[in-house]
Amino acid sequence: MRIHIYYGGRGLLDDPTLYVISKMEEVLKELRVEVKRFNIYEYKNEIATLPQTIKEADGIILATTVEWLGIGGYMQQFLDACWLYGDKEKFGTTYMQPIVMSTTYGEREGEMTLANAWEILGGLPCDGICGYVEDLVTFEMNQEYNRIIEKKAENLYRTISQKVKNLPTSNQAIKRTVLCTPQMNLTPQESEQLSKYVSDDTYVKQQKEDIEELASMFKGLLGKAKEQEDTPYIEDLKAHFVPQPGFVASYSFMIEGVKDSLLLKVKETRLEATYGSAKGEDADVVAKISTDVMNAIMEGRMTFQRAFMTGEMTAKGNFKTLRMLDQVFHFGE
């Protein structure tokens, strides 16, 4: 008989789950069971391939520690990999015992989470172990606790060797009717190959580079349209620009909802209009305005001076240059 232990904690020395699974290993080895432990944190770059190791086992133990909330990230990733890449047919004949120890609240919920997950995967759950440990030394010295752990290990051995049957559960019905995977139906061999690709850093890196290349291509195709969306008002300003001989000034508009500032440079008969992140002190006038007020000005329903006087536009800098805006840009009839 082979039993695999999948430990989803962080491997801390004072982790009570490590003591429990070590005790379980001792009992199972005395019963001539071949036990192999997988510390998931040591396989964090290969978690997608770990479900394939379940094929070699008659039963498994899923062990984790509740440190603050839930079963922890490593165990959750492992269960996700089982759902995506595991051999569901093999799970259907594999017994699983959950072990969840807690240094805070939530060990019962964690045990139930593991049992429910394994049932939904199609597996066979066994009675698990859960407990709250405030002081590890006291816990280890308690002989009654040790006997409970030993009894649970013996029950797991008997359950697997006698192939004990379980009554049907609603989780199995949910898996058949609701929790259907949206992806293509893959054979166990295809799932195994896919899991290897997912865990291959070189392959994943190449896929990311290909995606970035495609994204750049589409970005180039949509560049012109996006540029027009990201640079509003420039065409209207150029169309309504009135040259002022001898007048030179620069304006910076911070428009609500627009990422960059609208930068205007008037050089007598020429107008330069761009968007950028220029500092306020680089402009003669720095103004802050909403899109609604800016649209009203562009449509001729409002003037820059009126917007400033009513407080709908705030500004700092040279106020004589500010008053020139309505002469430089004429949006009236």
Side-chain angles (χ1 to χ4, degrees):
M1 182 187 298
R2 288 184 178 181
I3 293 179
H4 288 180
I5 299 175
Y6 297 90
Y7 168 67
R10 294 188 295 148
L12 303 179
L13 292 176
D14 59 347
D15 189 340
T17 304
L18 288 175
Y19 172 75
V20 174
I21 59 179
S22 296
K23 200 71 177 175
M24 296 280 291
E25 286 179 322
E26 291 177 8
V27 176
L28 291 171
K29 288 178 180 178
E30 289 177 1
L31 295 171
R32 297 183 180 179
V33 175
E34 184 179 338
V35 182
K36 186 174 182 180
R37 185 196 300 186
F38 295 88
N39 296 322
I40 300 177
Y41 65 85
E42 296 177 352
Y43 296 84
K44 57 185 177 182
N45 295 325
E46 305 170 14
I47 291 179
T49 61
L50 270 184
Q52 305 306 325
T53 61
I54 298 177
K55 293 180 179 181
E56 306 166 359
D58 300 301
I60 67 171
I61 293 173
L62 297 183
T64 191
T65 307
V66 177
E67 294 183 280
W68 74 283
L69 179 67
I71 60 175
Y74 290 131
M75 182 58 71
Q76 187 63 59
Q77 289 182 60
F78 175 71
L79 291 173
D80 288 345
C82 288
W83 175 256
L84 294 171
Y85 313 116
D87 186 346
K88 307 296 195 304
E89 294 182 5
K90 171 58 181 173
F91 295 164
T93 60
T94 304
Y95 291 88
M96 185 280 296
Q97 183 179 61
I99 296 178
V100 180
M101 305 306 293
S102 170
T103 57
T104 180
Y105 174 80
E107 69 280 356
R108 292 185 182 275
E109 289 78 3
E111 180 190 12
M112 186 172 294
T113 296
L114 294 180
N116 288 340
W118 194 248
E119 281 188 334
I120 292 173
L121 286 168
L124 305 170
C126 306
D127 289 338
I129 303 174
C130 69
Y132 167 72
V133 178
E134 185 174 4
D135 180 68
L136 181 58
V137 175
T138 303
F139 180 77
E140 292 178 355
M141 297 299 292
N142 192 306
Q143 295 303 316
E144 291 184 1
Y145 294 162
N146 289 328
R147 281 195 291 271
I148 292 173
I149 297 171
E150 292 170 359
K151 190 70 174 178
K152 289 291 186 179
E154 294 170 0
N155 289 341
L156 175 62
Y157 173 79
R158 281 195 291 269
T159 299
I160 297 174
S161 60
Q162 296 174 11
K163 299 187 183 299
V164 176
K165 299 294 183 181
N166 293 327
L167 292 174
T169 65
S170 58
N171 284 337
Q172 297 169 354
I174 289 174
K175 178 179 181 292
R176 291 193 301 269
T177 58
V178 179
L179 295 175
C180 299
T181 52
Q183 69 258 25
M184 298 181 295
N185 292 323
L186 302 176
T187 65
Q189 292 77 15
E190 290 171 334
S191 295
E192 182 175 358
Q193 189 66 34
L194 181 58
S195 69
K196 290 180 180 177
Y197 281 137
V198 171
S199 63
D200 186 343
D201 290 340
T202 303
Y203 175 80
V204 173
K205 183 179 179 181
Q206 183 62 47
Q207 292 297 303
K208 289 181 178 179
E209 290 176 353
D210 292 343
I211 292 172
E212 289 176 0
E213 185 177 349
L214 289 172
S216 299
M217 182 180 70
F218 284 111
K219 185 177 180 181
L221 293 174
L222 299 174
K224 290 185 178 180
K226 183 171 178 60
E227 182 178 355
Q228 292 177 355
E229 292 177 0
D230 292 344
T231 58
Y233 308 119
I234 286 181
E235 295 301 323
D236 285 335
L237 289 167
K238 289 181 177 180
H240 295 85
F241 173 63
V242 179
Q244 302 291 322
F247 178 68
V248 177
S250 60
Y251 301 88
S252 175
F253 287 90
M254 293 181 289
I255 305 171
E256 178 185 335
V258 180
K259 180 181 178 181
D260 294 324
S261 298
L262 172 59
L263 308 175
L264 304 177
K265 291 184 179 180
V266 180
K267 298 179 180 180
E268 297 188 351
T269 59
R270 292 187 298 112
L271 170 66
E272 296 178 7
T274 60
Y275 278 87
S277 56
K279 296 181 180 179
E281 57 264 23
D282 295 336
D284 298 321
V285 174
V286 179
K288 186 175 182 180
I289 190 171
S290 68
T291 52
D292 291 339
V293 176
M294 194 69 172
N295 290 336
I297 293 173
M298 296 292 144
E299 294 168 5
R301 297 183 286 108
M302 175 79 74
T303 64
F304 286 106
Q305 184 65 21
R306 182 181 170 192
F308 175 70
M309 296 298 294
T310 58
E312 294 180 278
M313 179 181 76
T314 59
K316 64 179 182 179
N318 189 319
F319 291 103
K320 182 178 179 181
T321 304
L322 173 63
R323 288 195 296 270
M324 285 294 294
L325 274 171
D326 291 318
Q327 297 182 40
V328 175
F329 302 101
H330 188 254
F331 294 98
E333 295 180 357

